[in-house]
Amino acid sequence: MSSSPSLSVSLGLWQDRPAEEALATARAADDLGYPSLWIGEMATYDAFALATAIGLATTRIRLTVGPLAVAVRDPMMIAMGAASVAGLTGRQVDVAVGTSSPLVVESWHGRSRARSATALKESVQALRPLLDGERSDFTGSCVASSGYRLRLPAPGSRLSVAAFGPSAVLTAALADGMVLNLITPASADRLTSQLRAVNPGVSVTAWVIAAVDPDREAVDRIRRAVVGYLAAPGYGEMFAEAGFADVVAYARTGPHPRELLAAVPEELVASVALLGDVGEVGARLAAYAAAGVDEVAVVPVSTDRDPGGTATLKALSGVVGLEAEGHHTRRSFEA
């Protein structure tokens, strides 16, 4: 494994910041020469609409839409969405899928999240032919599509799977890539090893929140992003393994969110983030590379001092040697 993962950018979609900052982040990533941009979906913009706007506002950056919740978007919708963005922007458009959370699927959308592992696997199986322009012909126990073929040119998208547990890792082995979010290098190492024991050819991307020379607002914003995961199955164990078992145990007693937030130390925040000066961030990047991660998708923290996280992106682009002009092959970080 190389000691230098490649760097891309993922939109933070910070819920307590102006939604339009996503476009500022995207433009900065494009201007600075980052090769690709991940466009997720939360509570503001529709992911395909935002991807289209970004494609029209930038010059060449490759777009990945997702992870999209398979309980909410079926394979035909995803393939048509990817082809639409590609056709309207002339840009390469890739796709990522995942199971999402009970809050998003069950509460916001009113859909069932039952048998989510099966739905994820079947969605990947049904989606791959559609993205390649073939007629759909798949019937599973959770997902089905027959008789549809894209009327637009097929995007030929790379297909990635958001994973955290063993079943999702096995599904990722059927795809082109695996995406890990909010993860320590130790957990990334374990999941990457599980993946490559099944299919060593699948690439691994880690979305990692980043703030170069962070101020208090930046650290607190990451703290708020992390706090909801502390009691969750799997995530709690990950943080306990990282040395924060006491915080996890407290989170699982159901304290008031303000009290739990106050109990989260900065060291816990740093265990799943890129924080510090460029040298400290470089050491963290090397740790993810050592864990088998091929690509780190930087999720820049947006603050009043650094709207859209553009200063963080600029600082990291200088370290990794991205070329804003000419768009040649970029060399990745060397720790």
Side-chain angles (χ1 to χ4, degrees), residues 12 55 68 132 192 245-246 267 270 304 317 329:
L68 300 166
D132 290 338
T192 298
D246 55 338
E267 292 79 8
D304 288 343
S317 73
T329 301

Side-chain angles (χ1 to χ4, degrees), residues 32-171:
L32 291 166
Y34 285 90
S36 61
L37 179 74
W38 295 72
I39 303 165
E41 189 169 67
M42 277 295 294
T44 54
Y45 298 117
D46 170 88
F48 291 116
L50 180 56
T52 301
I54 288 170
L56 296 174
T58 57
T59 60
R60 50 89 224 163
I61 198 165
R62 184 173 181 139
L63 308 176
T64 299
V65 181
L68 300 166
V70 297
V72 175
R73 293 186 187 265
D74 63 60
M76 176 194 162
M77 291 173 64
I78 294 172
M80 186 162 52
S84 297
V85 178
L88 291 168
T89 65
R91 200 66 55 81
Q92 174 62 43
V93 178
D94 298 325
V95 170
V97 294
T99 58
S100 192
S101 67
L103 172 67
V104 171
V105 174
E106 297 174 350
S107 297
W108 291 2
H109 288 278
R111 302 286 185 88
S112 172
R113 200 170 171 272
R115 304 183 66 198
S116 58
T118 299
L120 180 62
K121 180 179 179 180
E122 291 180 355
S123 293
V124 169
Q125 293 171 315
L127 186 53
R128 177 74 278 164
L130 282 167
L131 292 170
D132 290 338
E134 300 175 18
R135 189 180 300 277
S136 63
D137 183 19
F138 181 86
T139 302
S141 58
C142 295
V143 173
S145 178
S146 63
Y148 177 75
R149 175 179 288 157
L150 289 170
R151 272 55 169 178
L152 295 169
S157 309
R158 280 178 48 85
L159 180 57
S160 296
V161 172
F164 192 79
S167 61
V169 171
L170 290 176
T171 295

Side-chain angles (χ1 to χ4, degrees), residues 300-323:
V301 179
S302 178
T303 63
D304 288 343
R305 192 183 73 178
D306 184 17
T310 58
T312 283
L313 293 183
K314 184 175 182 180
L316 292 180
S317 73
V319 171
V320 303
L322 299 175
E323 301 173 42

Side-chain angles (χ1 to χ4, degrees), residues 240-259:
E241 178 188 51
F244 306 102
D246 55 338
V247 182
V248 173
Y250 178 56
R252 288 177 172 172
T253 67
H256 190 281
R258 283 196 303 270
E259 296 172 349

Side-chain angles (χ1 to χ4, degrees), residues 270-293:
S271 72
V272 289
L274 304 171
L275 292 178
D277 60 29
V278 291
E280 291 168 320
V281 169
R284 290 289 292 170
L285 286 170
Y288 282 101
V293 172

